[in-house]
Structure formats: structure tokens, C-alpha cells
Amino acid sequence: MEEINLDEADLKILKLLSQDARMSLKDIADRVFMTSPTVASRIHRMEKSGIIRGYQPVIGYRALGYTIKAFINLEVEPKDKKDFYPFIKSIPNVIECTCVTGDYAMLIECVFRYPEDLDHLINELQQFGRTKTLIAFSTSVEHRCVLPEEETNEKHG
């Protein structure tokens, strides 16, 4: 992957795609005042560099009956990670698993329809170490796109 510098047009393209990844090249081109081939070339360059890693729908899990969203902290010893990673990748209810700092080594985000299913996963995870589970009541910010121009702390006031 090559590293590229993004200009204002690239950032606008990224913002538009983050709002609607299915937006047509023509619509994007119209909004950034470029031709469709130029926009396609910029998007391809951002894909090749790893800035755009893919396109996927944002799933409304609650609408599918997954009303329990949980975050599980798991204390995993480094020697157990080789067994843990294939295990966690095999659990379809796990949305994301991130290695983190602190008292716990892993932060696991998952969704379930029934509390018993969450309990079953927690019991299975305990073979790898101590767990601490948090169940989400609501989510105020979800899958936000952060662009370089918007990441300044000065905009918090």
C-alpha cells in the first residue's frame, strides 16, 4: 500500500462515500466539480493505498431481533492468543474484537437475541481468562467517519 496525501477534493469524496457508499460516480463528480473518470481514479487510488478498505452496509441489528449489544473485556495471556484468535473469529455474533491496553487484553463487541446466548459466550470465553461484561442501553455515536480536517480538538467548544 502506498501512502498518499489527500487534498480537499479527496476529503470531500471520502465524506460523500462515508455518508452513502452507493452514491454514483456521476453524483459524486457533480458535487466535487470533477469528471466521473477523475473521481473514479481518485477513489481507486484511495482503495489501493488502504484509505478506503471496503464498502459494506450498516446493519440495524435491532431490526433483525438482536436487542442485546454487549462489550466483553477479556484478560488473555499472550501465550493463549494463538488459540483465542481462531476461536473468536468463529463466533458470528462477534462484531469486533480489538486488542487493547489496560487490565484486559481484548475488547469484544457482540450482539445477541437472548441473554442466554450471551451467557453461553461468556462461559466459553472464560477458558481464555477473566471476563467483565457491559451491556449497552443505547448508542449515541455509531460508526462515524473521521476525516483529517475534522479531527481537531478545537471544535469541541
mmCIF file of all heavy atoms in Angstrom, residues 53-93:
data_model
loop_
_atom_site.group_PDB
_atom_site.id
_atom_site.type_symbol
_atom_site.label_atom_id
_atom_site.label_comp_id
_atom_site.label_asym_id
_atom_site.label_seq_id
_atom_site.Cartn_x
_atom_site.Cartn_y
_atom_site.Cartn_z
ATOM 1 N N ARG A 53 -11.019 0.860 2.586
ATOM 2 C CA ARG A 53 -10.756 -0.577 2.748
ATOM 3 C C ARG A 53 -11.911 -1.452 2.291
ATOM 4 O O ARG A 53 -11.789 -2.671 2.285
ATOM 5 C CB ARG A 53 -10.418 -0.871 4.199
ATOM 6 C CG ARG A 53 -9.110 -0.232 4.610
ATOM 7 C CD ARG A 53 -8.667 -0.567 5.998
ATOM 8 N NE ARG A 53 -9.306 -1.732 6.556
ATOM 9 C CZ ARG A 53 -9.624 -1.864 7.835
ATOM 10 N NH1 ARG A 53 -9.372 -0.911 8.679
ATOM 11 N NH2 ARG A 53 -10.203 -2.950 8.270
ATOM 12 N N GLY A 54 -13.034 -0.864 1.956
ATOM 13 C CA GLY A 54 -14.154 -1.673 1.508
ATOM 14 C C GLY A 54 -15.450 -0.898 1.610
ATOM 15 O O GLY A 54 -15.478 0.240 2.068
ATOM 16 N N TYR A 55 -16.498 -1.541 1.182
ATOM 17 C CA TYR A 55 -17.832 -0.954 1.203
ATOM 18 C C TYR A 55 -18.764 -2.002 1.799
ATOM 19 O O TYR A 55 -18.819 -3.130 1.309
ATOM 20 C CB TYR A 55 -18.288 -0.610 -0.218
ATOM 21 C CG TYR A 55 -17.339 0.328 -0.932
ATOM 22 C CD1 TYR A 55 -16.250 -0.164 -1.639
ATOM 23 C CD2 TYR A 55 -17.522 1.697 -0.874
ATOM 24 C CE1 TYR A 55 -15.366 0.686 -2.282
ATOM 25 C CE2 TYR A 55 -16.648 2.563 -1.515
ATOM 26 C CZ TYR A 55 -15.576 2.048 -2.219
ATOM 27 O OH TYR A 55 -14.705 2.898 -2.846
ATOM 28 N N GLN A 56 -19.454 -1.634 2.850
ATOM 29 C CA GLN A 56 -20.362 -2.597 3.462
ATOM 30 C C GLN A 56 -21.566 -1.865 4.042
ATOM 31 O O GLN A 56 -21.459 -0.704 4.423
ATOM 32 C CB GLN A 56 -19.651 -3.413 4.540
ATOM 33 C CG GLN A 56 -19.106 -2.602 5.683
ATOM 34 C CD GLN A 56 -18.232 -3.457 6.588
ATOM 35 O OE1 GLN A 56 -17.673 -4.453 6.176
ATOM 36 N NE2 GLN A 56 -18.108 -3.055 7.829
ATOM 37 N N PRO A 57 -22.682 -2.557 4.115
ATOM 38 C CA PRO A 57 -23.871 -1.915 4.686
ATOM 39 C C PRO A 57 -23.735 -1.773 6.195
ATOM 40 O O PRO A 57 -23.000 -2.526 6.841
ATOM 41 C CB PRO A 57 -24.998 -2.890 4.342
ATOM 42 C CG PRO A 57 -24.313 -4.215 4.227
ATOM 43 C CD PRO A 57 -22.940 -3.928 3.689
ATOM 44 N N VAL A 58 -24.417 -0.797 6.739
ATOM 45 C CA VAL A 58 -24.516 -0.651 8.195
ATOM 46 C C VAL A 58 -25.792 -1.397 8.589
ATOM 47 O O VAL A 58 -26.895 -1.019 8.204
ATOM 48 C CB VAL A 58 -24.587 0.832 8.618
ATOM 49 C CG1 VAL A 58 -24.763 0.958 10.123
ATOM 50 C CG2 VAL A 58 -23.336 1.571 8.156
ATOM 51 N N ILE A 59 -25.624 -2.479 9.326
ATOM 52 C CA ILE A 59 -26.737 -3.358 9.666
ATOM 53 C C ILE A 59 -27.451 -2.838 10.914
ATOM 54 O O ILE A 59 -26.806 -2.530 11.911
ATOM 55 C CB ILE A 59 -26.234 -4.800 9.928
ATOM 56 C CG1 ILE A 59 -25.410 -5.331 8.750
ATOM 57 C CG2 ILE A 59 -27.392 -5.736 10.282
ATOM 58 C CD1 ILE A 59 -26.169 -5.494 7.466
ATOM 59 N N GLY A 60 -28.749 -2.773 10.854
ATOM 60 C CA GLY A 60 -29.572 -2.437 12.012
ATOM 61 C C GLY A 60 -29.885 -3.717 12.767
ATOM 62 O O GLY A 60 -30.910 -4.360 12.516
ATOM 63 N N TYR A 61 -29.000 -4.099 13.669
ATOM 64 C CA TYR A 61 -29.148 -5.389 14.358
ATOM 65 C C TYR A 61 -30.458 -5.488 15.131
ATOM 66 O O TYR A 61 -31.077 -6.543 15.189
ATOM 67 C CB TYR A 61 -27.955 -5.646 15.286
ATOM 68 C CG TYR A 61 -26.681 -5.860 14.513
ATOM 69 C CD1 TYR A 61 -25.703 -4.882 14.460
ATOM 70 C CD2 TYR A 61 -26.478 -7.043 13.812
ATOM 71 C CE1 TYR A 61 -24.540 -5.079 13.733
ATOM 72 C CE2 TYR A 61 -25.321 -7.247 13.083
ATOM 73 C CZ TYR A 61 -24.354 -6.258 13.046
ATOM 74 O OH TYR A 61 -23.224 -6.454 12.323
ATOM 75 N N ARG A 62 -30.887 -4.389 15.728
ATOM 76 C CA ARG A 62 -32.136 -4.389 16.491
ATOM 77 C C ARG A 62 -33.309 -4.780 15.588
ATOM 78 O O ARG A 62 -34.184 -5.545 15.990
ATOM 79 C CB ARG A 62 -32.366 -3.016 17.131
ATOM 80 C CG ARG A 62 -33.582 -2.972 18.016
ATOM 81 C CD ARG A 62 -33.642 -1.689 18.824
ATOM 82 N NE ARG A 62 -32.727 -1.637 19.938
ATOM 83 C CZ ARG A 62 -32.891 -2.299 21.077
ATOM 84 N NH1 ARG A 62 -33.910 -3.089 21.240
ATOM 85 N NH2 ARG A 62 -32.025 -2.170 22.057
ATOM 86 N N ALA A 63 -33.328 -4.292 14.362
ATOM 87 C CA ALA A 63 -34.395 -4.624 13.419
ATOM 88 C C ALA A 63 -34.395 -6.114 13.060
ATOM 89 O O ALA A 63 -35.415 -6.649 12.632
ATOM 90 C CB ALA A 63 -34.265 -3.775 12.151
ATOM 91 N N LEU A 64 -33.245 -6.770 13.236
ATOM 92 C CA LEU A 64 -33.145 -8.203 12.970
ATOM 93 C C LEU A 64 -33.381 -9.038 14.225
ATOM 94 O O LEU A 64 -33.229 -10.252 14.204
ATOM 95 C CB LEU A 64 -31.760 -8.531 12.401
ATOM 96 C CG LEU A 64 -31.477 -7.969 11.013
ATOM 97 C CD1 LEU A 64 -30.011 -8.204 10.647
ATOM 98 C CD2 LEU A 64 -32.388 -8.601 9.977
ATOM 99 N N GLY A 65 -33.733 -8.367 15.330
ATOM 100 C CA GLY A 65 -34.037 -9.090 16.559
ATOM 101 C C GLY A 65 -32.876 -9.206 17.530
ATOM 102 O O GLY A 65 -33.004 -9.827 18.581
ATOM 103 N N TYR A 66 -31.735 -8.630 17.193
ATOM 104 C CA TYR A 66 -30.576 -8.657 18.090
ATOM 105 C C TYR A 66 -30.657 -7.451 19.020
ATOM 106 O O TYR A 66 -30.099 -6.403 18.753
ATOM 107 C CB TYR A 66 -29.267 -8.641 17.294
ATOM 108 C CG TYR A 66 -29.077 -9.880 16.471
ATOM 109 C CD1 TYR A 66 -29.505 -9.938 15.145
ATOM 110 C CD2 TYR A 66 -28.473 -11.002 17.016
ATOM 111 C CE1 TYR A 66 -29.338 -11.080 14.388
ATOM 112 C CE2 TYR A 66 -28.301 -12.163 16.262
ATOM 113 C CZ TYR A 66 -28.740 -12.181 14.949
ATOM 114 O OH TYR A 66 -28.575 -13.329 14.198
ATOM 115 N N THR A 67 -31.392 -7.618 20.109
ATOM 116 C CA THR A 67 -31.672 -6.495 21.007
ATOM 117 C C THR A 67 -30.641 -6.342 22.119
ATOM 118 O O THR A 67 -30.672 -5.357 22.850
ATOM 119 C CB THR A 67 -33.066 -6.657 21.647
ATOM 120 O OG1 THR A 67 -33.100 -7.900 22.352
ATOM 121 C CG2 THR A 67 -34.155 -6.626 20.585
ATOM 122 N N ILE A 68 -29.725 -7.286 22.245
ATOM 123 C CA ILE A 68 -28.697 -7.206 23.281
ATOM 124 C C ILE A 68 -27.358 -6.919 22.611
ATOM 125 O O ILE A 68 -26.866 -7.701 21.801
ATOM 126 C CB ILE A 68 -28.605 -8.516 24.089
ATOM 127 C CG1 ILE A 68 -29.939 -8.779 24.777
ATOM 128 C CG2 ILE A 68 -27.457 -8.454 25.102
ATOM 129 C CD1 ILE A 68 -30.063 -10.163 25.339
ATOM 130 N N LYS A 69 -26.798 -5.754 22.946
ATOM 131 C CA LYS A 69 -25.467 -5.385 22.480
ATOM 132 C C LYS A 69 -24.575 -5.354 23.708
ATOM 133 O O LYS A 69 -24.880 -4.684 24.693
ATOM 134 C CB LYS A 69 -25.491 -4.009 21.811
ATOM 135 C CG LYS A 69 -24.157 -3.538 21.286
ATOM 136 C CD LYS A 69 -24.345 -2.170 20.628
ATOM 137 C CE LYS A 69 -23.115 -1.674 19.953
ATOM 138 N NZ LYS A 69 -23.366 -0.372 19.302
ATOM 139 N N ALA A 70 -23.463 -6.092 23.650
ATOM 140 C CA ALA A 70 -22.580 -6.189 24.816
ATOM 141 C C ALA A 70 -21.134 -5.953 24.418
ATOM 142 O O ALA A 70 -20.732 -6.180 23.278
ATOM 143 C CB ALA A 70 -22.725 -7.566 25.464
ATOM 144 N N PHE A 71 -20.384 -5.479 25.407
ATOM 145 C CA PHE A 71 -18.945 -5.325 25.289
ATOM 146 C C PHE A 71 -18.331 -6.202 26.367
ATOM 147 O O PHE A 71 -18.672 -6.074 27.540
ATOM 148 C CB PHE A 71 -18.526 -3.867 25.478
ATOM 149 C CG PHE A 71 -19.066 -2.968 24.404
ATOM 150 C CD1 PHE A 71 -20.304 -2.362 24.551
ATOM 151 C CD2 PHE A 71 -18.347 -2.737 23.248
ATOM 152 C CE1 PHE A 71 -20.818 -1.537 23.570
ATOM 153 C CE2 PHE A 71 -18.853 -1.917 22.248
ATOM 154 C CZ PHE A 71 -20.097 -1.309 22.410
ATOM 155 N N ILE A 72 -17.473 -7.101 25.959
ATOM 156 C CA ILE A 72 -16.848 -8.023 26.905
ATOM 157 C C ILE A 72 -15.357 -7.721 26.952
ATOM 158 O O ILE A 72 -14.679 -7.728 25.916
ATOM 159 C CB ILE A 72 -17.068 -9.490 26.484
ATOM 160 C CG1 ILE A 72 -18.555 -9.801 26.347
ATOM 161 C CG2 ILE A 72 -16.399 -10.433 27.481
ATOM 162 C CD1 ILE A 72 -18.856 -11.137 25.692
ATOM 163 N N ASN A 73 -14.873 -7.421 28.130
ATOM 164 C CA ASN A 73 -13.437 -7.299 28.353
ATOM 165 C C ASN A 73 -12.929 -8.686 28.719
ATOM 166 O O ASN A 73 -13.519 -9.355 29.565
ATOM 167 C CB ASN A 73 -13.147 -6.337 29.507
ATOM 168 C CG ASN A 73 -13.454 -4.907 29.149
ATOM 169 O OD1 ASN A 73 -12.871 -4.352 28.232
ATOM 170 N ND2 ASN A 73 -14.382 -4.306 29.877
ATOM 171 N N LEU A 74 -11.844 -9.093 28.095
ATOM 172 C CA LEU A 74 -11.289 -10.418 28.340
ATOM 173 C C LEU A 74 -9.803 -10.313 28.617
ATOM 174 O O LEU A 74 -9.058 -9.687 27.857
ATOM 175 C CB LEU A 74 -11.526 -11.326 27.133
ATOM 176 C CG LEU A 74 -10.920 -12.717 27.171
ATOM 177 C CD1 LEU A 74 -11.517 -13.555 28.300
ATOM 178 C CD2 LEU A 74 -11.093 -13.408 25.833
ATOM 179 N N GLU A 75 -9.380 -10.926 29.707
ATOM 180 C CA GLU A 75 -7.964 -10.976 30.070
ATOM 181 C C GLU A 75 -7.373 -12.231 29.435
ATOM 182 O O GLU A 75 -7.685 -13.347 29.854
ATOM 183 C CB GLU A 75 -7.859 -11.048 31.594
ATOM 184 C CG GLU A 75 -6.492 -10.840 32.151
ATOM 185 C CD GLU A 75 -6.532 -10.865 33.662
ATOM 186 O OE1 GLU A 75 -6.477 -11.980 34.221
ATOM 187 O OE2 GLU A 75 -6.624 -9.784 34.271
ATOM 188 N N VAL A 76 -6.556 -12.051 28.407
ATOM 189 C CA VAL A 76 -5.958 -13.188 27.702
ATOM 190 C C VAL A 76 -4.446 -13.105 27.856
ATOM 191 O O VAL A 76 -3.843 -12.072 27.574
ATOM 192 C CB VAL A 76 -6.313 -13.164 26.192
ATOM 193 C CG1 VAL A 76 -5.662 -14.325 25.458
ATOM 194 C CG2 VAL A 76 -7.805 -13.189 25.981
ATOM 195 N N GLU A 77 -3.861 -14.194 28.267
ATOM 196 C CA GLU A 77 -2.398 -14.265 28.357
ATOM 197 C C GLU A 77 -1.828 -14.324 26.938
ATOM 198 O O GLU A 77 -2.422 -14.964 26.053
ATOM 199 C CB GLU A 77 -1.970 -15.511 29.140
ATOM 200 C CG GLU A 77 -2.350 -15.491 30.605
ATOM 201 C CD GLU A 77 -1.648 -14.386 31.377
ATOM 202 O OE1 GLU A 77 -0.462 -14.098 31.077
ATOM 203 O OE2 GLU A 77 -2.287 -13.808 32.276
ATOM 204 N N PRO A 78 -0.683 -13.681 26.719
ATOM 205 C CA PRO A 78 -0.084 -13.704 25.373
ATOM 206 C C PRO A 78 0.073 -15.114 24.791
ATOM 207 O O PRO A 78 -0.158 -15.317 23.604
ATOM 208 C CB PRO A 78 1.281 -13.041 25.589
ATOM 209 C CG PRO A 78 1.054 -12.108 26.746
ATOM 210 C CD PRO A 78 0.077 -12.836 27.640
ATOM 211 N N LYS A 79 0.411 -16.088 25.621
ATOM 212 C CA LYS A 79 0.600 -17.466 25.137
ATOM 213 C C LYS A 79 -0.709 -18.091 24.637
ATOM 214 O O LYS A 79 -0.692 -19.019 23.837
ATOM 215 C CB LYS A 79 1.218 -18.334 26.232
ATOM 216 C CG LYS A 79 0.322 -18.538 27.442
ATOM 217 C CD LYS A 79 0.980 -19.456 28.472
ATOM 218 C CE LYS A 79 0.170 -19.627 29.712
ATOM 219 N NZ LYS A 79 -1.190 -20.066 29.555
ATOM 220 N N ASP A 80 -1.856 -17.564 25.090
ATOM 221 C CA ASP A 80 -3.155 -18.130 24.701
ATOM 222 C C ASP A 80 -3.753 -17.469 23.457
ATOM 223 O O ASP A 80 -4.778 -17.926 22.939
ATOM 224 C CB ASP A 80 -4.145 -18.015 25.864
ATOM 225 C CG ASP A 80 -3.724 -18.861 27.053
ATOM 226 O OD1 ASP A 80 -3.097 -19.922 26.835
ATOM 227 O OD2 ASP A 80 -4.017 -18.461 28.199
ATOM 228 N N LYS A 81 -3.133 -16.390 22.980
ATOM 229 C CA LYS A 81 -3.696 -15.667 21.831
ATOM 230 C C LYS A 81 -3.763 -16.524 20.576
ATOM 231 O O LYS A 81 -4.687 -16.392 19.790
ATOM 232 C CB LYS A 81 -2.919 -14.382 21.575
ATOM 233 C CG LYS A 81 -3.199 -13.308 22.601
ATOM 234 C CD LYS A 81 -2.467 -12.024 22.264
ATOM 235 C CE LYS A 81 -2.765 -10.955 23.302
ATOM 236 N NZ LYS A 81 -2.048 -9.703 22.994
ATOM 237 N N LYS A 82 -2.806 -17.423 20.389
ATOM 238 C CA LYS A 82 -2.815 -18.266 19.181
ATOM 239 C C LYS A 82 -4.054 -19.158 19.124
ATOM 240 O O LYS A 82 -4.540 -19.474 18.049
ATOM 241 C CB LYS A 82 -1.530 -19.077 19.071
ATOM 242 C CG LYS A 82 -1.354 -20.155 20.110
ATOM 243 C CD LYS A 82 -0.059 -20.916 19.897
ATOM 244 C CE LYS A 82 0.223 -22.020 20.846
ATOM 245 N NZ LYS A 82 -0.601 -22.236 22.001
ATOM 246 N N ASP A 83 -4.588 -19.546 20.279
ATOM 247 C CA ASP A 83 -5.820 -20.333 20.320
ATOM 248 C C ASP A 83 -7.054 -19.435 20.356
ATOM 249 O O ASP A 83 -8.107 -19.797 19.831
ATOM 250 C CB ASP A 83 -5.827 -21.251 21.551
ATOM 251 C CG ASP A 83 -4.743 -22.305 21.493
ATOM 252 O OD1 ASP A 83 -4.451 -22.805 20.384
ATOM 253 O OD2 ASP A 83 -4.184 -22.623 22.555
ATOM 254 N N PHE A 84 -6.897 -18.269 20.975
ATOM 255 C CA PHE A 84 -8.033 -17.359 21.121
ATOM 256 C C PHE A 84 -8.488 -16.788 19.773
ATOM 257 O O PHE A 84 -9.684 -16.757 19.488
ATOM 258 C CB PHE A 84 -7.687 -16.212 22.077
ATOM 259 C CG PHE A 84 -8.713 -15.111 22.073
ATOM 260 C CD1 PHE A 84 -9.942 -15.294 22.692
ATOM 261 C CD2 PHE A 84 -8.465 -13.918 21.412
ATOM 262 C CE1 PHE A 84 -10.907 -14.294 22.668
ATOM 263 C CE2 PHE A 84 -9.425 -12.918 21.382
ATOM 264 C CZ PHE A 84 -10.645 -13.101 22.015
ATOM 265 N N TYR A 85 -7.554 -16.312 18.952
ATOM 266 C CA TYR A 85 -7.929 -15.640 17.700
ATOM 267 C C TYR A 85 -8.793 -16.505 16.782
ATOM 268 O O TYR A 85 -9.836 -16.044 16.308
ATOM 269 C CB TYR A 85 -6.700 -15.098 16.972
ATOM 270 C CG TYR A 85 -6.113 -13.860 17.623
ATOM 271 C CD1 TYR A 85 -4.769 -13.789 17.939
ATOM 272 C CD2 TYR A 85 -6.905 -12.760 17.928
ATOM 273 C CE1 TYR A 85 -4.225 -12.660 18.538
ATOM 274 C CE2 TYR A 85 -6.377 -11.628 18.527
ATOM 275 C CZ TYR A 85 -5.041 -11.582 18.830
ATOM 276 O OH TYR A 85 -4.511 -10.470 19.419
ATOM 277 N N PRO A 86 -8.432 -17.759 16.512
ATOM 278 C CA PRO A 86 -9.319 -18.583 15.670
ATOM 279 C C PRO A 86 -10.689 -18.808 16.329
ATOM 280 O O PRO A 86 -11.717 -18.825 15.647
ATOM 281 C CB PRO A 86 -8.576 -19.912 15.515
ATOM 282 C CG PRO A 86 -7.165 -19.634 15.891
ATOM 283 C CD PRO A 86 -7.180 -18.474 16.823
ATOM 284 N N PHE A 87 -10.693 -18.946 17.657
ATOM 285 C CA PHE A 87 -11.958 -19.150 18.358
ATOM 286 C C PHE A 87 -12.875 -17.944 18.172
ATOM 287 O O PHE A 87 -14.034 -18.091 17.771
ATOM 288 C CB PHE A 87 -11.712 -19.395 19.860
ATOM 289 C CG PHE A 87 -12.966 -19.362 20.668
ATOM 290 C CD1 PHE A 87 -13.816 -20.457 20.707
ATOM 291 C CD2 PHE A 87 -13.335 -18.219 21.372
ATOM 292 C CE1 PHE A 87 -14.998 -20.418 21.428
ATOM 293 C CE2 PHE A 87 -14.511 -18.170 22.101
ATOM 294 C CZ PHE A 87 -15.352 -19.271 22.123
ATOM 295 N N ILE A 88 -12.375 -16.744 18.452
ATOM 296 C CA ILE A 88 -13.232 -15.553 18.410
ATOM 297 C C ILE A 88 -13.685 -15.248 16.982
ATOM 298 O O ILE A 88 -14.805 -14.784 16.771
ATOM 299 C CB ILE A 88 -12.547 -14.338 19.094
ATOM 300 C CG1 ILE A 88 -13.590 -13.317 19.533
ATOM 301 C CG2 ILE A 88 -11.508 -13.700 18.201
ATOM 302 C CD1 ILE A 88 -14.497 -13.784 20.642
ATOM 303 N N LYS A 89 -12.836 -15.541 16.007
ATOM 304 C CA LYS A 89 -13.219 -15.328 14.606
ATOM 305 C C LYS A 89 -14.345 -16.268 14.176
ATOM 306 O O LYS A 89 -15.070 -15.974 13.235
ATOM 307 C CB LYS A 89 -12.009 -15.501 13.686
ATOM 308 C CG LYS A 89 -11.028 -14.357 13.785
ATOM 309 C CD LYS A 89 -9.808 -14.591 12.913
ATOM 310 C CE LYS A 89 -8.820 -13.456 13.066
ATOM 311 N NZ LYS A 89 -7.618 -13.652 12.258
ATOM 312 N N SER A 90 -14.508 -17.377 14.878
ATOM 313 C CA SER A 90 -15.536 -18.352 14.512
ATOM 314 C C SER A 90 -16.911 -18.028 15.110
ATOM 315 O O SER A 90 -17.888 -18.700 14.786
ATOM 316 C CB SER A 90 -15.114 -19.753 14.959
ATOM 317 O OG SER A 90 -15.231 -19.889 16.376
ATOM 318 N N ILE A 91 -17.001 -17.012 15.963
ATOM 319 C CA ILE A 91 -18.270 -16.660 16.616
ATOM 320 C C ILE A 91 -18.983 -15.602 15.781
ATOM 321 O O ILE A 91 -18.565 -14.442 15.741
ATOM 322 C CB ILE A 91 -18.042 -16.129 18.054
ATOM 323 C CG1 ILE A 91 -17.167 -17.084 18.867
ATOM 324 C CG2 ILE A 91 -19.363 -15.845 18.750
ATOM 325 C CD1 ILE A 91 -17.762 -18.439 19.105
ATOM 326 N N PRO A 92 -20.080 -15.948 15.102
ATOM 327 C CA PRO A 92 -20.736 -14.998 14.206
ATOM 328 C C PRO A 92 -21.353 -13.792 14.912
ATOM 329 O O PRO A 92 -21.538 -12.744 14.287
ATOM 330 C CB PRO A 92 -21.810 -15.831 13.498
ATOM 331 C CG PRO A 92 -21.979 -17.052 14.329
ATOM 332 C CD PRO A 92 -20.714 -17.258 15.098
ATOM 333 N N ASN A 93 -21.658 -13.888 16.186
ATOM 334 C CA ASN A 93 -22.264 -12.775 16.919
ATOM 335 C C ASN A 93 -21.257 -11.702 17.317
ATOM 336 O O ASN A 93 -21.639 -10.638 17.779
ATOM 337 C CB ASN A 93 -22.979 -13.282 18.171
ATOM 338 C CG ASN A 93 -24.120 -14.195 17.824
ATOM 339 O OD1 ASN A 93 -23.893 -15.336 17.431
ATOM 340 N ND2 ASN A 93 -25.339 -13.726 17.948
#
